[in-house]
Amino acid sequence: MRIFSGIQPTGTKHLGNYIGAIRQYVVGQDRGEALYCIVDLHAITVAYDPAELRKSLYDLTALLLAAGLDPQRCILFRQGDVAEHSELCWLLCSVTELGRLQRMHQFRDKSVQQRELVSAGLLVYPVLQAADVLAYRAHEVPVGEDQREHLELMRDVARRFNARFGDGDEVLIVPEHRIPEVGARIMDLQDPTRKMSTTGGSEQGTVYVLDEPASIAKKIGSAVTDSGREIVRSPGKQGVSNLIEILAVASDRSPEQVEADMAQARGYGELKKAVTEAVVEMLAPVSERYAELRADEQALEDVLASGAARAREIAFQTLATVRERMGVGPARRAE
Ligand code: AMP
Ligand code: TRP
């Protein structure tokens, strides 16, 4: 089984990214052939600074390695290094409905945020994301809940391509998403009706993977809950539900187990203390490894370069078939 996921080299990664995505990447290395791509070409669809992009790319590479990605057990690479992604994106534009792209939630949300220019790249973003996965004929895509719509589009693009050009073959594989049951949508600690996010959330409500323990304690300690005392998940108790989910993942228990274990706790103070301890314990080793890895940019570049070479070998094959089926370029000789 082949696993593929992409992650943006923007901002600093937070607890939502870590729980919803990065942890699944690490596990994926033992479940199949795993490819993880840092998507610099997606990052340039909104206003950005080129020097900052390079820096963030190294930040994220070091963070992913610190979190447990192992270049011996997965292919970690930079999207812009493998030209097949861009080429397949263009080819797949022919089987993607324009109206559907215009209705995508992320396009609408991000368009509103752009002050100077709503780029065509922002509209085509989901097609590039489809190309990322389909170029590797991957079976499974670990992502957080917010990527559901993009995955649906990707599946439809693959189906439409196969129907139009497949001639009965599954040239492109229709991938499954893998959204974790717990922690697929970690909420902002200050406003638990909004997802934790680097761009949309509050600074106090966002725990970053590389935050110091004292800062983690402060943010979790001041998390918004409700006026009750009961430690149970329910739709009216979004803040508490969020803390229970975080604690469950960070301490390797089910949310039900956490609720049972906390039944005797005296109020939310105790819950917050338990969450803080578990989160600090989960993230501290990542911070420790990060500093050393980040310091050696040449080593990071070497990891990315060898990842790209391995990725290209796979994507090249798919592209040859796609081009052939679409009638692009010379016909391949039948052997
Ligand atoms: P991004 O940093 O936007 O590339 O997101 C990387 C991954 O983190 C994607 O798979 C997202 O679905 C996931 N993710 C982002 N925010 C959250 C959140 N608040 N809770 C859970 N997963 C998230
Ligand atoms: N759009 C994804 C996000 O914002 C990142 C991404 C790009 C991705 N290409 C991908 C995720 C391919 C999964 C598969 O998080």
Side-chain angles (χ1 to χ4, degrees):
M1 189 198 36
R2 193 173 278 158
I3 298 170
F4 185 102
S5 198
I7 182 164
Q8 298 239 28
T10 44
T12 336
K13 294 300 160 184
H14 53 70
L15 195 56
N17 301 129
Y18 188 78
I19 291 178
I22 297 173
R23 271 175 56 110
Q24 326 297 322
Y25 300 173
V26 176
V27 175
Q29 299 179 113
D30 298 319
R31 296 185 52 253
E33 178 189 7
L35 294 112
Y36 301 117
C37 177
I38 302 179
V39 295
D40 54 349
L41 301 181
H42 276 113
I44 64 172
T45 58
V46 293
Y48 79 103
D49 174 59
E52 198 57 41
L53 174 61
R54 282 232 171 78
K55 193 180 147 295
S56 310
L57 204 129
Y58 291 137
D59 292 347
L60 180 56
T61 308
L63 187 76
L64 292 173
L65 295 172
L69 292 195
D70 172 5
Q72 304 297 324
R73 291 189 295 146
C74 73
I75 298 178
L76 175 62
F77 70 107
R78 173 171 48 204
Q79 186 186 35
D81 288 348
V82 183
E84 278 77 2
H85 292 238
S86 307
E87 185 182 356
L88 185 57
C89 172
W90 177 253
L91 296 171
L92 292 177
C93 278
S94 313
V95 286
T96 308
E97 185 203 348
L98 174 62
R100 177 89 177 268
L101 294 177
Q102 289 165 327
R103 290 190 299 272
M104 302 287 286
H105 288 114
Q106 186 180 293
F107 173 65
R108 294 175 149 220
D109 295 347
K110 286 198 181 173
S111 306
V112 179
Q113 292 161 14
Q114 294 309 302
R115 300 233 176 86
E116 302 231 320
L117 170 76
V118 177
S119 71
L122 197 57
L123 179 72
V124 179
Y125 181 115
V127 189
L128 180 59
Q129 181 165 349
D132 292 340
V133 176
L134 301 179
Y136 299 91
R137 308 186 75 239
H139 304 97
E140 211 176 75
V141 187
V143 281
E145 174 65 39
D146 61 359
Q147 295 300 310
R148 196 179 278 278
E149 199 183 21
H150 285 153
L151 264 292
E152 277 310 315
L153 178 92
M154 178 185 302
R155 290 164 56 82
D156 287 346
V157 166
R159 284 195 203 99
R160 183 168 290 161
F161 180 91
N162 290 338
R164 171 76 178 82
F165 299 111
D167 208 10
D169 299 333
E170 199 179 20
V171 174
L172 298 179
I173 288 180
V174 181
E176 304 286 339
H177 58 227
R178 188 178 173 88
I179 298 175
E181 268 174 42
V182 180
R185 192 173 169 83
I186 298 296
M187 309 307 279
D188 188 289
L189 297 175
Q190 287 297 315
D191 178 359
T193 63
R194 292 197 309 185
K195 70 170 180 179
M196 190 176 281
S197 124
T198 327
T199 42
S202 65
E203 185 63 25
Q204 261 310 102
T206 310
V207 172
Y208 296 102
V209 176
L210 299 177
D211 272 350
E212 299 281 336
S215 158
I216 296 177
K218 192 152 166 262
K219 289 174 181 176
I220 294 175
S222 60
V224 169
T225 48
D226 55 64
S227 54
R229 308 170 55 91
E230 258 193 311
I231 301 178
V232 289
R233 287 165 302 155
S234 84
K237 295 165 75 72
Q238 284 159 310
V240 173
S241 305
N242 192 36
L243 291 175
I244 292 173
E245 287 217 359
I246 294 171
L247 180 52
V249 174
S251 62
D252 249 327
R253 284 178 283 175
S254 67
E256 291 77 16
Q257 190 61 49
V258 168
E259 287 169 349
D261 294 347
M262 296 298 293
Q264 305 303 324
R266 273 171 296 154
Y268 297 146
E270 215 169 301
L271 171 64
K272 288 176 175 177
K273 192 160 163 282
V275 177
T276 302
E277 279 170 14
V279 169
V280 167
E281 199 177 315
M282 176 174 75
L283 298 180
V286 182
S287 283
E288 270 169 38
R289 289 191 288 264
Y290 176 83
E292 199 184 326
L293 289 159
R294 180 65 182 85
D296 191 348
E297 288 189 357
Q298 190 52 52
L300 298 173
E301 208 37 88
D302 291 346
V303 167
L304 294 171
S306 80
R310 292 162 68 200
R312 212 175 286 127
E313 269 178 40
I314 305 172
F316 178 82
Q317 310 276 344
T318 311
L319 262 291
T321 310
V322 167
R323 290 167 62 98
E324 168 80 6
R325 296 297 177 112
M326 291 184 80
V328 171
R332 280 192 288 179
R333 269 180 300 154
E335 319 256 342

